[in-house]
Amino acid sequence: MNVGLDRPSLQAMEKDNKESIRENAQRWCKTAAQVNPPLLEIEMINLFVNTFKTSYFEYLVGSSTQNFFDLVVVAERIEQAIRLGKIVDSIEEKSFT
């Protein structure tokens, strides 16, 4: 018996530290395509946002993106801002307190 993936399993998927946001999104989408019944676009956005750690989540949850691709672009911008020090990663911030 083949047990398909469900929505909570998708939400629990974590980004591998070695992969980019785009690679993570591609892996996540490939897995999401196996969920039955298929996800609506808004479900994909909501579930994918919930896979991010706090530093990303705070910005993504406020995003008004209407499609998954736009969400990935926003997440990439957040990743770039963290790398440039324009956004403090909440994990790093906690280590200083």
Side-chain angles (χ1 to χ4, degrees):
M1 178 169 106
N2 187 9
V3 178
L5 288 170
D6 58 8
R7 284 151 173 81
S9 298
L10 274 177
Q11 192 167 325
M13 285 180 67
E14 293 184 8
K15 180 182 174 293
D16 181 336
N17 288 335
K18 297 174 189 168
E19 66 186 353
S20 69
I21 294 291
R22 191 164 300 262
E23 291 167 334
N24 178 49
Q26 289 171 340
R27 179 175 58 87
W28 192 90
C29 278
K30 189 175 182 180
T31 305
Q34 299 172 33
V35 172
N36 200 4
L39 297 167
L40 301 172
E41 181 95 10
I42 192 68
E43 286 181 292
M44 286 181 65
I45 291 168
N46 290 335
L47 289 171
F48 190 62
V49 164
N50 285 317
T51 68
F52 284 89
K53 60 185 177 179
T54 305
S55 50
Y56 288 82
F57 180 81
E58 291 171 350
Y59 293 95
L60 291 174
V61 78
S63 172
S64 61
T65 58
Q66 296 297 310
N67 68 56
F68 190 81
F69 177 77
D70 289 344
L71 180 69
V72 172
V73 171
V74 171
E76 288 176 324
R77 288 180 183 155
I78 295 167
E79 182 177 56
Q80 178 81 11
I82 289 172
R83 238 184 275 125
L84 295 173
K86 295 183 183 260
I87 296 175
V88 177
D89 189 336
S90 61
I91 302 290
E92 291 175 14
E93 191 175 73
K94 288 179 184 171
S95 67
F96 291 116
T97 58

